[in-house]
Amino acid sequence: MPHQKDALSQHVIEVRGLHKSFGDNPILKGIDLQVSAGEVVSIIGASGSGKSTFLRCINLLEWPTSGEILFQGENVLERGYNIPAYREKVGMVFQQFNLFSNMNVLQNCMVGQIKVGRKSKEEARLTAMDYLEKVGLAQYIHAKPRQLSGGQQQRVAIARALCMEPEALLFDEPTSALDPEMVGEVLKVITDLAHTGLTLMVVTHEMAFARDVSDRVLFMDDGVIAEEGEPAGIFTNPKSERLREFLTRFLS
Amino acid sequence: MTTWDWIERFLQLYWPQFLKGAGWTLLLAIIGTVGGFVIGLLIGVVRTTPLYSGGQKRRSLRSVLLKIVNAILAVYIEVLRGTPMMVQAVLVFYGLMEFAGIDITSSAAGMLVITLNTGAYMAEIVRGGIQSVDPGQTEASKAIGMTHWQTMLNVVLPQTIRNILPATGNEFIVNLKDSSVLSVIMVSELFYSTQVIKSIYYRTYEPFLIAATIYLFFTFTSSRLLRLLEKRMDGPSNYTLISSATTPELLKQNRRYQAGATRRR
Ligand SMILES: Nc1ncnc2c1ncn2[C@@H]1O[C@H](COP(=O)(O)OP(=O)(O)OP(=O)(O)O)[C@@H](O)[C@H]1O
Ligand SMILES: [Mg+2]
């Protein structure tokens, strides 16, 4: 069927039979996933179910034990695959922000563009200013990370990732380390991104975000994707007992 | 003559010798610390280089070479930290002559020994410094596409250097004092010069009181200067907001720029 090939080439990220063990301890037990360009995928699941490990495998901060990860049709685990260039295209935003503490806000957003993207300083600065403006922090370019609130730091981290002009962004619980009053400002930035057509994978405990913003929700349980589907189905009509338990525990 | 009279006399007659000795002590400490710092950085970087890249635990020429180099470096560090610098000085100075036929001056041998010795200590300090950098920093750096070396140069080492500055300053102060053991191979640093001056009058106490004062002056001043340096490296404790009036201007510039620039990639 010719149309199947077309559909295949539209997947930004495809994961096949992904396994990951730490020592003898299997954490991911066979994950298959296809993410289309512009899709917003939320990943929910109990603590310890392997959500972070899955995300970290996708941009190779953890090396999978077996399986395949395809980016635009190419297996990134192949020997000789240009991993730094891949990571430039698939950025990541961390729970703990991880802004470079030896740099100010502007430098955080410029360094990757200059060293990895080989842009000129001037070009990098203007791009950085543009994205910092979008996350509402253009005034803070001279601040050091430790001088900012958690919410501000996370918004800078998002700007830093956007400066690389990625195809997809991975978020690992971007609001979990934040004080409640700062969760909103960060979720708003991510929601705005979701509407720009950027491909997003978001591990989150913010069920309202998963329900309202994502195109698809994955429920991870014990190292596999136990259930997936459109948010409406997942939240109003969960099929598995585990997901029902999880949701009642979470929404109560 | 009282002690004060002796001190006055020694200073009057031999101040150039004291000054020269002090100069050598300072020079040895500076060379030893700077050289040792460079050695320590290089070794620290080599020893924290991952054996395998890309996750495949496949043995390669690179990983084998790296293991051999690491083993040699470990021996260097153990030997130089496990023996007195005084003994190292003797072995290097006379050993080079005896076995390699290299006749270097005692000053050159002294500089070599204090540098190698400091390098061994700095290697451990740097390694600890690199390991104490939050792994999240490295991950964030890799996540925007930086290679191991780019991560090292732009993120890890700048933070390491800031973190190990106090320990490096401490090495410098230790070197100011411990360079005195190089007198064993007749390096004319402050301790050796003082001994020479002492033997002219057979008065021990006063020349060494002068030497002690000079040592104390050096160490005290250095520790103050180092603290200043640390403060300066931390930068200002507050930041200035860019007035919102200038940001739209920047953005306008930006748009004009982007419109004109051809997109790469
Ligand atoms: N580097 C590691 N070494 C050994 N075990 C690990 C490592 N990283 C994660 N694990 C284990 O893998 C399991 C899954 O961890 P993971 O962080 O992926 O869960 P999670 O779904 O993200 O949980 P949370 O919601 O708490 O963030 C846990 O049991 C954890 O102890
Ligand atoms: Mg997690």
Side-chain angles (χ1 to χ4, degrees):
Chain A
M1 287 184 287
H3 71 269
Q4 208 168 22
K5 193 167 182 293
D6 287 344
L8 200 73
S9 61
Q10 276 184 6
H11 296 142
V12 181
I13 296 168
E14 184 171 355
V15 178
R16 292 180 186 160
L18 183 72
H19 285 77
K20 172 69 185 174
S21 307
F22 289 109
D24 293 333
N25 203 0
I27 301 298
L28 300 182
K29 305 167 183 172
I31 293 185
D32 295 279
L33 178 69
Q34 297 173 337
V35 182
S36 310
E39 204 180 356
V40 178
V41 178
S42 289
I43 304 173
I44 60 173
S47 181
S49 56
K51 305 180 300 293
S52 298
T53 308
F54 178 40
L55 222 54
R56 292 166 57 82
C57 277
I58 290 181
N59 85 342
L60 302 180
L61 289 175
E62 302 289 353
W63 198 264
T65 312
S66 67
E68 284 178 13
I69 296 170
L70 287 84
F71 175 64
Q72 294 172 338
E74 280 187 82
N75 186 2
V76 305
L77 302 175
E78 204 74 30
R79 209 172 147 79
Y81 189 85
N82 188 343
I83 293 170
Y86 164 63
R87 289 196 178 120
E88 194 185 345
K89 293 281 145 226
V90 179
M92 181 137 178
V93 174
F94 302 85
Q95 188 174 349
Q96 299 296 338
F97 334 128
N98 295 344
L99 291 179
F100 303 132
S101 60
N102 56 315
M103 302 176 198
N104 66 25
V105 166
L106 185 61
Q107 290 163 333
N108 261 280
C109 292
M110 285 172 64
V111 65
Q113 298 186 64
I114 294 168
K115 304 291 173 185
V116 181
R118 304 257 160 238
K119 285 196 204 165
S120 74
K121 265 199 176 146
E122 199 45 29
E123 204 180 338
R125 195 175 67 87
L126 292 168
T127 307
M129 288 305 299
D130 202 11
Y131 285 113
L132 284 169
E133 177 75 24
K134 285 202 174 104
V135 300
L137 287 170
Q139 286 183 281
Y140 291 84
I141 53 175
H142 295 312
K144 284 287 183 83
R146 67 186 133 81
Q147 296 166 326
L148 299 178
S149 74
Q152 291 172 325
Q153 288 189 53
Q154 192 61 300
R155 285 188 280 151
V156 175
I158 294 171
R160 174 177 69 179
L162 290 173
C163 281
M164 305 310 291
E165 276 148 22
E167 304 287 334
L169 273 189
L170 315 173
F171 290 82
D172 190 3
E173 298 196 28
T175 58
S176 293
L178 299 177
D179 290 337
E181 72 267 26
M182 292 168 190
V183 169
E185 64 190 58
V186 172
L187 285 182
K188 172 158 190 321
V189 169
I190 303 175
T191 306
D192 290 347
L193 279 181
H195 297 138
T196 62
L198 191 62
T199 310
L200 304 182
M201 290 180 71
V202 188
V203 170
T204 186
H205 289 302
E206 297 293 330
M207 294 304 148
F209 173 86
R211 188 190 58 215
D212 300 339
V213 181
S214 43
D215 302 311
R216 184 157 44 132
V217 178
L218 311 180
F219 170 62
M220 277 191 72
D221 186 37
D222 196 24
V224 296
I225 296 174
E227 196 166 333
E228 67 174 297
E230 293 193 349
I234 291 282
F235 287 106
T236 53
N237 188 20
K239 292 188 188 66
S240 65
E241 187 54 37
R242 298 283 296 188
L243 177 54
R244 226 167 300 153
E245 266 172 40
F246 173 79
L247 289 175
T248 33
R249 208 163 359 108
F250 235 92
L251 299 177
S252 61
Chain B
M1 289 217 308
T2 66
T3 294
W4 279 115
D5 295 332
W6 277 111
I7 288 177
E8 212 182 317
R9 170 176 249 174
F10 275 119
L11 280 178
Q12 257 170 12
L13 290 176
Y14 300 112
W15 65 267
Q17 280 79 358
F18 278 116
L19 206 63
K20 188 161 159 265
W24 270 105
T25 291
L26 195 59
L27 187 68
L28 284 164
I30 291 172
I31 287 179
T33 312
V34 172
F37 184 78
V38 173
I39 292 177
L41 272 184
L42 292 176
I43 295 183
V45 167
V46 171
R47 296 227 292 171
T48 50
T49 303
L51 278 180
Y52 309 99
S53 56
Q56 293 112 324
K57 293 234 167 359
R58 196 178 285 143
R59 207 195 294 168
S60 62
L61 182 65
R62 181 179 160 280
S63 71
V64 173
L65 272 179
L66 199 54
K67 271 188 187 163
I68 296 172
V69 171
N70 278 340
I72 295 171
L73 293 176
V75 170
Y76 161 75
I77 292 168
E78 281 305 315
V79 169
L80 275 108
R81 280 164 36 114
T83 55
M85 187 157 78
M86 202 173 212
V87 176
Q88 293 162 12
V90 172
L91 288 179
V92 166
F93 184 50
Y94 296 104
L96 280 179
M97 222 178 322
E98 182 98 20
F99 297 108
I102 301 171
D103 187 8
I104 55 171
T105 63
S106 60
S107 318
M111 290 177 196
L112 185 63
V113 167
I114 200 169
T115 303
L116 291 177
N117 184 279
T118 311
Y121 283 92
M122 287 304 305
E124 289 296 276
I125 293 170
V126 171
R127 185 163 71 144
I130 289 176
Q131 284 169 348
S132 72
V133 172
D134 176 6
Q137 298 279 309
T138 314
E139 292 186 347
S141 169
K142 297 211 165 132
I144 55 171
M146 290 212 216
T147 62
H148 174 76
W149 293 111
Q150 287 173 331
T151 302
M152 269 290 166
L153 284 176
N154 296 292
V155 177
V156 177
L157 287 182
Q159 295 183 34
T160 301
I161 289 170
R162 170 62 192 90
N163 288 344
I164 66 172
L165 206 61
T168 308
N170 195 48
E171 282 300 306
F172 179 69
I173 287 165
V174 167
N175 279 340
L176 280 170
K177 297 183 288 180
D178 284 6
S179 54
S180 57
V181 304
L182 298 172
S183 59
V184 73
I185 54 169
M186 294 161 297
V187 178
S188 49
E189 42 67 54
L190 185 55
F191 183 87
Y192 187 79
S193 308
T194 311
Q195 269 188 319
V196 172
I197 294 163
K198 168 202 89 171
S199 58
I200 301 172
Y201 283 89
Y202 294 101
R203 299 253 350 154
T204 307
Y205 190 67
E206 292 81 6
F208 279 102
L209 208 55
I210 295 170
T213 311
I214 299 176
Y215 277 120
L216 192 61
F217 170 74
F218 277 165
T219 52
F220 184 79
T221 333
S222 324
S223 63
R224 292 304 118 132
L225 286 176
L226 282 160
R227 217 163 294 166
L228 268 178
L229 181 66
E230 277 167 44
K231 272 217 184 113
R232 279 200 53 169
M233 273 189 81
D234 288 340
S237 58
N238 47 15
Y239 54 87
T240 46
L241 283 181
I242 301 299
S243 81
S244 46
T246 61
T247 48
E249 192 45 46
L250 265 172
L251 283 170
K252 221 185 295 163
Q253 258 182 329
N254 193 1
R255 281 197 202 101
R256 217 178 304 137
Y257 183 85
Q258 283 186 337
T262 45
R263 255 181 77 90
R264 309 148 113 256
R265 282 176 305 206

